[in-house]
Amino acid sequence: MRHVISILVDNEPGVLARIAGLFTARGFNIESLCVAETEKKSLSRLTLVTSGDDWIIEQIIKRFENMINVIKVDDFKETESLQRELLIARVTPTSKTRSEVLRVADIFRAKVVDVGTKSYALEITGSKDKLEAFVEILRPLGLKEINRTGLISLKREKN
Amino acid sequence: MKKFLGAELFFETLYKLGIKTIFGLPGGYVLKIYDVMPSYAKKINHILTRHEQAATHMADGFSRASGLPGIILCTSGPAATNTITGISTAYADSVPVLIFTGQVPTPFLGSDAFQEADHIGITRTCTKHNTLVRKTIDLPKAIAEALYISNTGRKGPVLVDMPKDVIIGESTFNFPKSVKISSYDDNISLKNTEYKNFINAFKISKKPLFILGRGACSSDSQKHMRKILKKFKSPALTSILALGLISGSEYDCGVLDYDSSSISKNLIEESDLIISIGCDLSKIINIKKLQNKLLANINIDKVDLNVLNGSDINLHSDSGEFMKMLSDENQIDFDWTDNEISEIRNNYKINIKKEIDSNKKAKIFSLISRICPKDTIYCSDFSYDEVNLQKFLEISDYKNNLMSGGNGTPGYGFPAAIGATFSRPKSKVVSISSGKNFQFNMQEMIVAVEQKINLSIVVINDSSDEKYPGPNYKLLAESFNVRATRTNISTLLEKDLKKFLDYKGVTLIEILI
């Protein structure tokens, strides 16, 4: 099963290696990883997406909690949290597809962030599914390369 | 304010933290620490070892025999990598040891400098925590925190890496008034709901069985456990590492480990509630055998809880706190009868006796423990091809049982025995190893001689192996100035053995089998 794990850690060197090391030890793949400072400068939040046996993931989370530099670990279910990702795509359309690319960008509420004589750079945020749909539609229209940040998430307020 | 060298801060801080003994070996980047050592010689005793692995085992033995933390000091690169086996050993059995390593100066970190190794990276998976000190002024705080982390919660080894510029730099002495690490919670207390769940199951069970592991020994819990067994008249099994915890109790039904006799397996079969305290269950029993049992698991480390994936009762707690609460419960009559338990105990003893009669090494172990005084510390090795021989000894206290359990380190026993003599100088210490295991760390005999300790070394020479015959251990020991003798098991007399074990100083007896 797919897990989105959010980890609050001390903003210190070596912490990321410690966390990534636990995944390597278990032979698990990290699908995406995003780390940045939080509202407090001394803390970082790390959002990690992985999939695997629930019981083993639970074991890994317990080991995270045992680490000295880890403050809090959440294993988010999709409904409990906001999940977003940012993607930048470079498209080199032909003269025929040029307007189609801009129309697709408009439908997906993507922004044009760079324009050249041959290409556009588009920026889009959204859920994983939305981004994947966007990429699939751009592909026949001259998609050259993409780069994405990986998922970030925040807990929803409980009612 | 007075300024100190990093090297001086190292000793000042250790002294303030109550450390009196360290084990180590000098080398390049820690030479400054050794330079200032003579002025601290009265406060802190430094034991010069001949190999860093042995230094780590000594600190480990020092700690297991007394409960005090063990301290190691060595330099970078080859010295630090030599300690890894010892660190893994301490980590597997949750022993509080602190490892101080020298490191290349901070500007050269990561440049493949002379004798450089990435200590933090290498020890990441075998320490509870590790840290690199970047400024001299931070050194006292780093040491105090390392000791705190090592010695609280589930104990374990902590490594502090000290670059050369930190050691030779100057700073004022900022000793932290109290240690508080925001992201580290050592205050694990038993939750009421968890305890109630357990008590409900306990009350309706008919035949509860206790399994006690190393974790049950970490707190001052011996008296509570004895009270529990007496009150509820229920049997208990110990893991090989918890040997001695309930010795002499009439409910002690022996050792549970992978090569256990059928008796402990039958006992598990017959009981309906298994209460495991401080065990890493997967290491001592085939978990599948517990699948249709009700299991209550008490552990300070969440990782070792929930081994049956949901069907067990988990109590995240310090074992001492749990035992104290349980020992204060009202008496409950279970279905065990005293006759039944004493029969199990008798059968266990008969089985042990049978093994002693058929296994020469077991015979030597049992003979030695018959001769030695009650409060003797026994140190032995795990051997690849044998059952755990420690169970053939009569061990009176868990602190007298020194062996590498989880890591199964060959060559652990002898250096650990040297370490134990420094924390318990009044107790008799015996190291029993097979020749092959003894060879792993035999160079440390010179340390034992230099330090003028009292230590009896027994080497079981398995000379039947003609392809790989060992050395003559008697001659070897004599070259180290150790009083030694060589004898054959068929002609070995109890009174001769006793005479030799009673000698003061370092002695070695080689027994050919």
Side-chain angles (χ1 to χ4, degrees):
Chain A
M1 214 187 109
R2 189 162 167 269
H3 289 256
V4 176
I5 305 170
S6 171
I7 312 170
L8 193 65
V9 297
D10 284 335
N11 191 0
E12 270 176 26
V15 179
L16 179 61
R18 226 174 264 275
I19 285 169
L22 270 187
F23 278 87
T24 2
R26 290 278 182 156
F28 273 32
N29 189 27
I30 297 175
E31 285 168 25
S32 85
L33 177 69
C34 190
V35 198
E37 243 172 44
T38 62
E39 70 281 0
K40 274 190 197 164
K41 278 219 160 145
S42 60
L43 301 180
S44 287
R45 190 177 289 282
L46 199 146
T47 312
L48 191 151
V49 182
T50 185
S51 45
D53 184 77
D54 281 356
W55 190 69
I56 296 181
I57 300 270
E58 189 196 314
Q59 290 285 314
I60 293 180
I61 289 175
K62 281 183 194 167
R63 286 187 192 271
F64 284 152
E65 287 171 339
N66 272 354
M67 286 180 185
I68 309 298
N69 296 119
V70 170
I71 292 151
K72 193 165 183 280
V73 186
D74 284 307
D75 184 4
F76 284 140
K77 297 190 177 60
E78 304 243 352
T79 50
E80 286 173 348
S81 69
L82 294 165
Q83 299 181 354
R84 288 291 181 275
E85 197 174 349
L86 184 131
L87 178 149
I88 307 174
R90 181 163 296 282
V91 193
T92 43
T94 60
S95 52
K96 277 185 192 166
T97 57
R98 188 171 280 262
S99 58
E100 178 67 11
V101 167
L102 291 176
R103 198 153 44 236
V104 169
D106 200 32
I107 293 167
F108 277 87
R109 289 188 208 144
K111 266 196 287 184
V112 179
V113 286
D114 184 37
V115 187
T117 51
K118 286 183 193 139
S119 71
Y120 291 123
L122 304 173
E123 171 201 299
I124 179 172
T125 59
S127 66
K128 188 173 179 255
D129 293 348
K130 179 184 169 187
L131 263 48
E132 265 156 25
F134 183 63
V135 170
E136 283 319 305
I137 290 175
L138 286 185
R139 206 181 287 280
L141 303 176
L143 182 71
K144 275 284 172 275
E145 58 177 350
I146 61 167
N147 196 358
R148 45 206 290 190
T149 57
L151 208 67
I152 56 165
S153 70
L154 201 65
K155 206 172 199 167
R156 281 182 195 274
E157 193 183 302
K158 263 187 191 158
N159 293 327
Chain B
M1 270 173 94
K2 195 188 167 193
K3 290 217 168 182
F4 291 86
L5 288 174
E8 290 168 329
L9 290 178
F10 173 78
F11 284 113
E12 294 284 346
T13 312
L14 285 184
Y15 180 68
K16 276 215 164 187
L17 292 169
I19 304 296
K20 295 201 175 68
T21 310
I22 61 176
F23 299 89
L25 203 57
Y29 297 115
V30 291
L31 279 182
K32 199 75 205 167
I33 294 182
Y34 281 86
D35 278 349
V36 303
M37 192 177 276
S39 46
Y40 292 93
K42 278 186 185 155
K43 293 177 176 171
I44 290 172
N45 184 17
H46 173 265
I47 316 298
L48 176 72
T49 69
R50 293 299 185 277
H51 191 291
E52 290 84 0
Q53 183 196 341
T56 333
H57 290 327
M58 283 181 205
D60 177 313
F62 178 91
S63 175
R64 286 190 211 218
S66 63
L68 300 167
I71 316 289
I72 303 113
L73 170 65
C74 65
T75 185
S76 62
T81 50
N82 273 343
T83 62
I84 305 294
T85 307
I87 300 175
S88 293
T89 308
Y91 185 64
D93 296 345
S94 308
V95 183
V97 294
L98 280 188
I99 307 97
F100 293 97
T101 50
Q103 182 58 278
V104 303
T106 43
F108 299 104
L109 276 172
S111 67
D112 283 347
F114 177 64
Q115 290 197 331
E116 181 182 5
D118 174 14
H119 308 160
I120 298 295
I122 292 171
T123 60
R124 189 169 289 135
T125 50
C126 62
T127 51
K128 185 175 173 188
H129 188 60
N130 56 20
T131 181
L132 173 77
V133 186
R134 286 177 179 274
K135 286 180 193 142
T136 309
I137 194 165
D138 295 338
L139 191 60
K141 183 166 173 257
I143 296 174
E145 284 185 355
L147 182 67
Y148 181 75
I149 291 169
S150 168
N151 215 9
T152 51
R154 182 179 185 161
K155 298 177 182 179
V158 176
L159 182 135
V160 180
D161 204 13
M162 307 181 293
K164 190 185 173 188
D165 51 337
V166 170
I167 295 172
I168 62 172
E170 281 192 348
S171 160
T172 50
F173 185 21
N174 284 7
F175 187 75
K177 281 187 188 115
S178 65
V179 179
K180 199 173 180 306
I181 305 159
S182 61
S183 50
Y184 175 63
D185 182 19
D186 67 308
N187 191 13
I188 298 159
S189 61
L190 187 53
K191 286 188 196 73
N192 248 329
T193 48
E194 286 182 348
Y195 185 71
K196 268 187 195 147
N197 257 346
F198 163 76
I199 281 294
N200 290 341
F202 187 58
K203 277 180 181 156
I204 57 168
S205 71
K206 294 198 166 63
K207 289 189 159 185
L209 165 72
F210 290 90
I211 300 180
L212 309 171
R214 178 82 194 165
C217 306
S218 64
S219 310
D220 191 18
S221 48
Q222 241 166 332
K223 60 172 195 276
H224 296 313
M225 198 59 227
R226 280 168 201 271
K227 197 172 152 195
I228 289 169
L229 296 179
K230 213 165 187 181
K231 190 178 251 179
F232 300 115
K233 294 188 169 39
S234 300
L237 295 166
T238 58
S239 78
I240 193 91
L241 279 179
L243 252 181
L245 178 67
I246 46 166
S247 66
S249 157
E250 52 204 294
Y251 301 97
D252 179 3
C253 292
V255 169
L256 174 69
D257 59 7
Y258 261 106
D259 47 52
S260 279
S261 60
S262 54
I263 290 158
S264 50
K265 281 168 191 153
N266 290 344
L267 201 54
I268 289 175
E269 207 47 48
E270 209 173 308
S271 61
D272 60 348
L273 170 68
I274 291 166
I275 305 158
S276 145
I277 308 178
C279 293
D280 180 353
L281 276 172
S282 60
K283 284 211 184 84
I284 56 173
I285 191 171
N286 186 348
I287 292 291
K288 281 186 189 137
K289 294 217 162 110
L290 300 176
Q291 214 64 269
N292 46 18
K293 298 270 167 201
L294 187 56
L295 173 73
N297 196 348
I298 295 94
N299 213 306
I300 198 162
D301 191 348
K302 273 189 258 176
V303 175
D304 286 331
L305 290 175
N306 199 12
V307 286
L308 295 183
N309 199 4
S311 61
D312 38 3
I313 304 166
N314 294 304
L315 290 91
H316 184 213
S317 162
D318 176 63
S319 57
E321 189 188 352
F322 169 80
M323 287 180 189
K324 191 172 178 327
M325 279 177 83
L326 186 58
S327 68
D328 290 338
E329 289 290 328
N330 291 331
Q331 192 171 342
I332 306 167
D333 287 323
F334 292 110
D335 286 3
W336 298 109
T337 62
D338 282 356
N339 276 345
E340 195 178 358
I341 293 173
S342 67
E343 197 186 316
I344 294 167
R345 276 166 56 79
N346 273 338
N347 285 341
Y348 181 76
K349 279 179 193 158
I350 291 168
N351 268 20
I352 287 278
K353 194 156 182 315
K354 265 187 209 157
E355 279 192 72
I356 290 172
D357 289 339
S358 63
N359 182 334
K360 284 179 187 165
K361 288 186 185 174
K363 192 177 170 187
I364 294 171
F365 271 65
S366 129
L367 186 63
I368 290 169
S369 83
R370 260 210 324 266
I371 294 170
C372 289
K374 199 172 164 235
D375 188 38
T376 302
I377 302 171
Y378 297 100
C379 314
S380 74
D381 289 283
F382 180 89
S383 44
Y384 296 120
D385 51 343
E386 304 247 349
V387 293
N388 286 318
L389 293 162
Q390 205 86 348
K391 69 181 170 199
F392 301 109
L393 297 167
E394 276 164 32
I395 291 174
S396 60
D397 188 304
Y398 69 88
K399 284 180 179 164
N400 292 348
N401 171 29
L402 267 59
M403 69 169 290
S404 161
N407 204 44
T409 311
Y412 166 82
F414 173 52
I418 297 178
T421 61
F422 291 100
S423 56
R424 300 254 306 271
K426 283 180 186 156
S427 301
K428 176 152 191 65
V429 185
V430 183
S431 147
I432 318 172
S433 317
S434 70
K436 290 183 193 101
N437 284 328
F438 183 65
Q439 284 181 59
F440 277 84
N441 275 310
M442 61 187 177
Q443 77 284 349
E444 302 303 314
M445 271 193 285
I446 199 71
V447 178
V449 172
E450 261 173 18
Q451 299 289 337
K452 299 190 174 66
I453 57 174
N454 292 320
L455 174 64
S456 305
I457 309 162
V458 180
V459 177
I460 302 171
N461 189 351
D462 194 352
S463 58
S464 58
D465 190 348
E466 282 169 14
K467 202 172 167 197
Y468 305 104
N472 182 323
Y473 295 96
K474 176 180 182 271
L475 294 178
L476 183 80
E478 280 169 350
S479 74
F480 282 90
N481 265 333
V482 170
R483 182 205 285 251
T485 183
R486 190 175 214 225
T487 164
N488 199 304
I489 190 163
S490 54
T491 56
L492 180 69
L493 292 174
E494 194 171 322
K495 65 171 202 280
D496 292 341
L497 188 62
K498 180 169 174 23
K499 201 172 116 197
F500 212 79
L501 287 171
D502 282 346
Y503 281 137
K504 293 271 177 243
V506 188
T507 57
L508 182 142
I509 177 162
E510 177 184 0
I511 304 174
L512 293 146
I513 58 169

